[in-house]
Amino acid sequence: MAYQGFTPANTVLYALLFLALLLGTVRLFRALRPDLSLFYAYFVPFVLLGSGLRVMRDMGLLSSPLFGNVGIYAFIYALLLGSLLLGKWSTRFGLLEHHIPLALASVGCIYVALRLLPLPWRPGPPLLGLLPTLALASALYLALPRIGLRVLDQRANLAVLAAHLLDATTTYLGLTLYGLREEVLLTRFLVSLDPLLIFPLKAGIVLAALHYLDDLEDETSKTLLRAALLGLGLGPAFRNLLLEMLV
């Protein structure tokens, strides 16, 4: 849900660039071998910061293209990768434990996001977004094993699905209740037919992707690809929630 349109040409370009960057990051992490045991916990605050900065641009408080649709992903990626590399460097020279720079950066992201967004913390939009998301995620968690699909047995996979269901829920609410609009081409086409179509679209694509990731043997690849999938759902979901709290 956003205010700068995608075209077929730039959508394909951005997708190819994202894929190339993701594959390059996987190769880099295989070489560096960082400890990724707490990576998801450190990753989420960076997503929150990115969503907050993007909302500030929506509000006209920031004008730089760095905080636009694509620029914000590059900015947050640079912060995250820089924190990881700083941790590896500090460990090599015996200065700090490898996880400390990333942990401090994560805390800093939360602090900056909260300081930059003096929002009217109305409970309505978060509740409207979270309650249906919890209901849908719980229903799928209980139903899928009955047809032989165990993809949600891992908590990380369940979190990724919940993030995308939250994105779907907040997008639906934004379109139908808050007067916001969608810009991603495929989603925009489907919601023009019926906004409810975003739910099977999101659930189907994410479950298929998670099923593929579970078959990967390399844990570094699995962790990074799952984190990317989490960010692609959680970032827009956070942004939608923040925007709806301001409407």
Side-chain angles (χ1 to χ4, degrees):
M1 193 178 313
Y3 305 100
Q4 296 175 352
F6 285 101
T7 66
N10 66 25
T11 297
V12 172
L13 176 62
Y14 295 149
L16 292 175
L17 289 174
F18 176 77
L19 181 60
L21 182 63
L22 187 58
L23 294 177
T25 304
V26 169
R27 296 190 65 176
L28 176 64
F29 275 48
R30 284 176 180 168
L32 294 176
R33 298 185 179 276
D35 182 1
L36 299 177
S37 58
L38 295 175
F39 184 70
Y40 299 119
Y42 295 144
F43 176 73
V44 171
F46 286 87
V47 177
L48 175 61
L49 176 62
S51 300
L53 291 171
R54 186 66 183 87
V55 168
M56 291 186 68
R57 192 172 190 275
D58 292 330
M59 296 166 58
L61 300 176
L62 295 172
S63 59
S64 171
L66 183 63
F67 305 116
N69 286 326
V70 178
I72 192 63
Y73 285 99
F75 177 70
I76 295 301
Y77 173 82
L79 285 179
L80 179 61
L81 183 61
S83 300
L84 281 165
L85 293 177
L86 181 61
K88 290 291 292 185
W89 177 83
S90 63
T91 300
R92 177 176 298 178
F93 290 94
L95 300 176
L96 295 170
E97 292 293 328
H98 65 88
H99 64 278
I100 291 179
L102 185 59
L104 291 175
S106 299
V107 174
C109 285
I110 296 174
Y111 175 78
V112 172
L114 294 176
R115 293 286 294 179
L116 290 179
L117 288 167
L119 293 173
W121 296 104
R122 296 183 292 131
L127 288 176
L128 283 175
L130 290 172
L131 292 179
T133 298
L134 291 173
L136 289 169
S138 299
L140 288 171
Y141 177 77
L142 295 173
L144 290 180
R146 295 180 180 274
I147 59 174
L149 295 177
R150 313 294 306 188
V151 67
L152 298 182
D153 286 354
Q154 294 189 50
R155 287 181 295 177
N157 285 352
L158 182 59
V160 170
L161 177 65
H164 282 270
L165 290 176
L166 181 60
D167 180 27
T169 302
T170 54
T171 296
Y172 175 81
L173 293 172
L175 293 169
T176 57
L177 294 181
Y178 296 103
L180 302 178
R181 62 182 182 269
E182 178 60 47
E183 69 168 359
V184 178
L185 291 177
L186 177 59
T187 311
R188 187 169 62 203
F189 170 72
L190 288 176
V191 299
S192 70
L193 302 175
D194 188 337
L196 286 173
L197 290 175
I198 194 172
F199 290 98
L201 172 70
K202 279 278 189 178
I205 292 175
V206 171
L207 288 172
L210 291 173
H211 181 72
Y212 166 77
L213 291 181
D214 282 347
D215 290 336
L216 294 179
E217 295 183 1
D218 181 63
E219 288 300 323
T220 298
S221 299
K222 188 181 297 186
T223 298
L224 291 178
L225 293 173
R226 190 184 284 128
L229 195 58
L230 176 65
L232 290 174
L234 199 57
F238 278 156
R239 181 187 172 202
N240 291 344
L241 277 176
L242 293 172
L243 284 172
E244 289 163 11
M245 293 173 72
L246 292 169
V247 173

